[in-house]
Amino acid sequence: MLALLLSLVRYRFWRVWKRVFSLSWPVMTEQVLRTLMRTTDLIVAGFFSPAAVAAVGLADIYARFPLRFGIGIGDGAIALSSQDTGADATANRDQAVTQALLLGILGGIPFIIFGVLLNEYAIAVLGGLADQAAMAEVVEYGSVYLLIIMLSAPAVHVNFIAARSIQGTGDTRTPMYVNGVVNALNIVATVTLAFGLGPIPELGVVGIAAATAVSDSLGALTFLAIIRTPFSEITYVRPRRLVIAKQLVTISWPRIAEGLSEMIAEFPFNAILLAFGTEVNAAYHIGRRMYQQVASPLARGYGVAANVLVGQSLGRGEPEEAYYYGIAATALSVLTIGGLCAALFFYAEWFVLVFTRDPVTVGYATAFAQAFAIAALFIAAYVVLAGSLRGGSETLTPFVARMIGTFVFLLGFTYVFGVLLGYGVLAAYVAVVLDFAFRTLYIGAIFYRQRWVDRGTSMMHERGSLDASSED
């Protein structure tokens, strides 16, 4: 009997893993190309100078603000899209997607204003603890890069919201096709514009930023056009249901705040690293970029798949199936990412040499890469569990987990042990691991209690997705 039970459990796990992987591999492919694009930016910048690498890294801190806004609204869109797809409430789904896209476009305007007016000051303030002579070149490169990137903020929002909305219907391949082509064009344009290949003049860091901004704009226009075609399950409608707008904001604001809180903590954290040395700061960005290139695409792919499957299961009125999808996706994430991170840990220096040959930077970057390789086991579980909760419209718990992990462990631990107690950069290595270890334990306990099931179900009742009145 026990053998039969174990056989059934293994069969169910295998069936769920196949379903999870069928949804996640297009997202992984898309994320590999996206992170390869950002990795290319750092590699190309490294050909110019360590200051150029630091400039791109520091400017990217601000560039992640519109990114986080787009991800936040996109997570609200995918939650409602997946739940309403499962409930066959297509009218509500179309309302949610249309309103989310409008929020994304309007929300990009403040970022454009910020980039035009405060780009130079934004980079300079991060180097307050560093040598001003060393920071001069960083500010020069970073301010121009930031200005160009911020001009494309509305396009960044549309890309994430449209992709997440389409993924919520169960179609993860269309976003892969669009973003795959756009990111490939971005990589080619980055190399061409930065180095001035052919008749193109050498633009350096400006060329890196211009390639990204143009590519994001092309992707946004393509997504908007696809949704208008008969090939899309989603249809544009006139926004009129305030309850859906309210739920979008309710689900999205913790996700936006979650990302913003991490970005805010990055400012003093980068200031501390710059106080340890420009090479330390550059090494941190290289080490994190390596993790993002090797393991992050898989975690994000599994997270999106869990979000979609949990949301659709709740829409069909199957909470037990939703819970099982979350557990199975988490197990698959940890098993697969663990193997990759073992290779990253033991061969970290080989990977680092792709980014830089500066011996001081190589030493620090290798240690950061190994710290992220250890932390990746926790990240693999955290990202999928958070995606599962978001599929149930629960976004407050991941926000709380990230707030505590970021400010108490990443920033607080680094400052106390690294600066006050004099352990230096070693404290930053440890803080990276402690941050995600805490997040995983906290969010895992909340997921296990399953109160998110009631939250998702009650919100579907509120907007009428479980009633016949919501049908087209």
Side-chain angles (χ1 to χ4, degrees), residues 90-164:
T90 56
N92 281 350
R93 181 188 63 200
D94 294 342
Q95 278 285 327
V97 173
T98 301
Q99 293 184 34
L101 287 170
L102 286 175
L103 284 173
I105 293 171
L106 295 176
I109 297 175
F111 293 110
I112 294 177
I113 297 173
F114 174 84
V116 172
L117 300 180
L118 299 172
N119 58 321
E120 187 172 337
Y121 172 79
I123 300 298
V125 74
L126 293 179
L129 298 178
D131 179 73
Q132 293 305 302
M135 279 296 298
E137 191 177 6
V138 175
V139 173
E140 179 184 355
Y141 288 142
S143 60
V144 177
Y145 182 94
L146 180 60
L147 167 63
I148 297 172
I149 290 298
M150 285 298 181
L151 293 176
S152 63
V156 172
H157 295 169
V158 169
N159 281 333
F160 276 97
I161 295 167
R164 293 292 186 266

Side-chain angles (χ1 to χ4, degrees), residues 24-77:
S24 61
W25 77 259
V27 182
M28 295 175 188
T29 304
E30 173 190 343
Q31 289 297 323
V32 166
L33 291 172
R34 178 76 183 179
T35 52
L36 179 60
M37 177 193 74
R38 307 306 301 147
T39 301
T40 301
D41 289 353
L42 281 178
I43 292 175
V44 171
F47 278 91
F48 295 97
S49 67
V53 175
V56 172
L58 293 176
D60 271 346
I61 295 173
Y62 291 102
R64 289 200 296 273
F65 276 92
L67 186 70
R68 293 299 183 180
F69 185 91
I71 290 174
I73 302 298
D75 273 9

